[in-house]
Each structure stands twice: as C-alpha cells, then as structure tokens.
Amino acid sequence: MIISGEQIISRLKDELNDALASYKGTPHISVVLNIEDNPSRSYIKSITKVARDNGFRITLYEVDSNTSEEELEEIVKVLATDDDVDGIIITRPYVVRMKREIINRVPKWKDIDGQTDANIAALYKKEDGLFPATPLAVMEFFKEVNYKLTGKHVVIVGRSTTVGLPLFHMLLSEDATCTVCHSKTENLKEFTNKADVVISAAGHPGLITEDMVQNATFLIDVAINIVEGKIVGDMAINFEEKEYKEKGLMFITPVPGGVGPVTSYMLLLNTIKGMRKRGKLP
Ligand code: NAD
C-alpha cells in the first residue's frame, strides 16, 4: 500500500481546524531565513503557502553572511519576547554568525522546529517539548496505518540532527530496535536487509535498491533530491502495488508527495502545541 502525504494531511487539517475553531486571532510564525541557501528558500516558500492556506500569518526576516551577530541577536530577541509571535523557525544551514547562544534565545514553546538545547534535551529525556518537524512527519506515517513499532528492527539511513538523530529517539520511545547508518557505514546492504523498516534520509538518489530491502515491510523515503529537474527520493524501487504484496512489503511512501508535505503541517501543529503551552489556546 502506498501511503501518500495527502491522506495524512486531511487528518492533520481537521486537528488544526478543531484547535483554532474558537480562536479569534491569527497564529503567527516568524522565519529567520538564510537567503544565501536556495533549498531553504524553497522550503520556506512551500511552508508559507501551507501556513497561509490554513489561516496562519508568516513573516520573514532575511539574513545572509553579512548580517552581524548583534543584528541576529536583536532579531531573535524581538521575536522571542513578542507575544504576537507564536512560532520561530531559523533556517539551516545557519548563517555564519548564528551561534548556539542566539538559537537558544528562542523560547522552548516557540521553537517549532525543535532546534534549541531545551527541546533537544526534552526529546532525549522523554520529556514534553517541541520536536523537529520532519521526524515527527515520519512518525505520522506509522500512526496512519496503526503500525506497531514495538520490537521492530528499524534501520535509519542518515544521522543528521534534523532527521536521523531525532528520529532515532522517537523510534526508541516506541520500543523499536534502531540501527543508524551513515556515510561511513560499511556494507549498508547488510544492515538494510535485516530491517523490518527502512527509513532513508541520506540525500543520495538511487542509494536504496530492491535487493537491499529483502525483509522490509515498511519503507519510508525522506529524501528530496533533484535529478534532471525532477524530485526523487533515495529509494530506486519501482514495484507495482501487486508486487509489493508478493514481496511481503506492506507500506511504502512516495517522493514527491510523501513525508515532505506532511512536514509543513507538523510545523503548524507544533505552533498550536506551543500556543497551548503559552496559554493562548485551550
Ligand atoms: P544531511 O546532509 O545533513 O545528512 C545526510 C545524512 O545521510 C548524513 O548523516 C550522512 O552520513 C548520510 N549519508 C549521506 N550519504 C550516504 C550514503 N551514501 N550512505 C549512507 N549514509 C549516507 O541531510 P539532511 O538535512 O538530514 O537531509 C537528508 C535528506 O532528507 C535530503 O535529501 C533532504 O532534502 C531531505 N529532507 C527532507 C525533508 C522533508 O520534509 N521531507 C526535511 C529535511 C530534509
């Protein structure tokens, strides 16, 4: 079965509508955008559309390698203390002068992509917090089909602080057994072939092929790669639906139209959660 982002989004939209039904204001997200990074610009462009379509306001603060440390500090300080700002995103890669001290000025319940030390610690310690949107989106795919992760062996390909590492903690919390592979892993195939679930977030088109997922029942492709002007994931697996079943493969996510669109909604839902924690929503 192919699980599209769209089917998950219709459920998430209901959650958003319910949360905002009695709210008189407009939730407001501010983005500190590194304009020198093209993927960040297109990422924020799609988030802006989703946010506006769902009744959120978005404001952009454009920064680049010439922005001084004082200016960055001032922007974040203003956003942190403005009660009208409900969520703050600082795009990655950060501009050169964006120090951890500045990022950590973002209040825990406005840090809607889970980048501050407070939220990273909360994830590691299984405490309440706002966690990175992409791994949260991945977890929605399991929830969508009621897939029980207890005791399942999950291989994550990629160990970035935005995807692989937070995902590892989220999966452990669901009692999965996790292996994290990365660019220095030798014989990747030996690991992926033992997995019940393979999640790829390497950004390497064609990395995962059919012969590498012989025992998997769930495949999640997080990657967004551009090849000859087209968006593709890491997985070069072109089974027909009938063949999935013959191979015992139960679930697979597409690229495009899989994890990517769900990620934007997780940012909106994190904003709602933060507003609740700040007492702005019931
Ligand atoms: P990154 O470059 O920070 O990390 C990539 C990771 O993959 C690293 O840990 C690296 O060790 C590993 N890796 C790279 N090549 C590998 C190989 N050949 N074998 C095994 N491991 C390898 O990237 P990121 O920010 O984590 O993003 C990863 C991918 O996910 C990219 O394609 C990115 O576009 C995509 N992404 C998607 C979303 C979304 O919403 N769907 C959000 C963020 C990132």
Side-chain angles (χ1 to χ4, degrees):
M1 176 187 173
I2 296 174
I3 317 172
S4 74
E6 268 315 306
Q7 77 187 73
I8 294 173
I9 285 169
S10 68
R11 170 169 56 82
L12 302 181
K13 273 189 176 182
D14 290 344
E15 274 184 48
L16 281 175
N17 290 336
D18 289 350
L20 293 172
S22 59
Y23 186 60
K24 299 274 177 278
T26 308
H28 180 195
I29 295 173
S30 289
V31 180
V32 182
L33 173 63
N34 174 3
I35 53 164
E36 286 166 348
D37 183 60
N38 284 333
S40 293
R41 290 161 72 130
S42 56
Y43 177 59
I44 292 304
K45 197 172 157 196
S46 57
I47 288 165
T48 301
K49 181 170 182 334
V50 171
R52 290 190 175 144
D53 287 351
N54 285 280
F56 283 59
R57 187 151 61 95
I58 288 252
T59 45
L60 299 185
Y61 293 78
E62 296 187 345
V63 297
D64 59 28
S65 45
N66 294 317
T67 311
S68 70
E69 197 178 315
E70 291 72 27
E71 285 172 287
L72 293 171
E73 216 164 355
E74 185 57 25
I75 293 170
V76 175
K77 196 173 115 195
V78 167
L79 300 179
T81 51
D82 184 350
D83 194 48
D84 181 53
V85 173
D86 300 306
I88 301 170
I89 300 170
I90 302 176
T91 64
R92 284 161 291 202
Y94 300 126
V95 288
V96 276
R97 294 180 190 84
M98 186 67 80
K99 295 187 168 159
R100 282 306 298 169
E101 293 94 300
I102 303 179
I103 293 157
N104 283 330
R105 276 182 171 270
V106 174
K108 177 173 176 177
W109 298 114
K110 290 190 182 187
D111 172 28
I112 59 169
D113 207 6
Q115 302 178 48
T116 59
D117 291 353
N119 278 320
I120 293 169
L123 179 61
Y124 287 17
K125 293 193 281 179
K126 291 197 194 178
E127 290 171 359
D128 202 8
L130 297 181
F131 306 130
T134 303
L136 282 179
V138 170
M139 298 305 286
E140 286 298 319
F141 283 78
F142 297 116
K143 206 196 265 182
E144 180 67 16
V145 292
N146 204 15
Y147 187 86
K148 294 278 173 284
L149 284 158
T150 304
K152 292 287 192 309
H153 181 201
V154 184
V155 168
I156 305 168
V157 185
R159 59 175 164 184
S160 73
T161 52
T162 31
V163 190
L165 276 188
L167 197 47
F168 168 73
H169 288 277
M170 290 176 194
L171 291 161
L172 277 186
S173 291
E174 295 296 322
D175 296 324
T177 303
C178 298
T179 304
V180 181
C181 297
H182 48 79
S183 53
K184 299 285 189 290
T185 299
E186 290 178 13
N187 297 323
L188 181 62
K189 184 177 170 178
E190 272 181 30
F191 293 93
T192 54
N193 258 338
K194 286 188 189 134
D196 299 303
V197 179
V198 177
I199 304 174
S200 192
H204 189 131
L207 180 66
I208 308 293
T209 48
E210 188 181 328
D211 58 318
M212 295 170 74
V213 293
Q214 292 298 303
N215 291 304
T217 53
F218 209 138
L219 300 178
I220 297 192
D221 197 341
V222 180
I224 300 172
N225 308 300
I226 309 287
V227 176
E228 292 168 2
K230 284 198 177 142
I231 297 176
V232 298
D234 286 345
M235 297 190 179
I237 296 176
N238 298 313
F239 302 140
E240 292 298 325
E241 183 123 20
K242 188 167 82 57
E243 288 176 68
Y244 298 163
K245 289 185 188 132
E246 280 163 15
K247 288 177 192 296
L249 236 178
M250 286 151 58
F251 304 108
I252 189 160
T253 67
V255 178
V259 177
V262 178
T263 297
S264 303
Y265 279 84
M266 299 323 292
L267 288 169
L268 304 190
L269 284 165
N270 266 351
T271 309
I272 298 292
K273 182 175 177 185
M275 288 170 77
R276 287 191 168 125
K277 295 286 178 186
R278 288 169 48 240
K280 281 182 84 174
L281 279 178

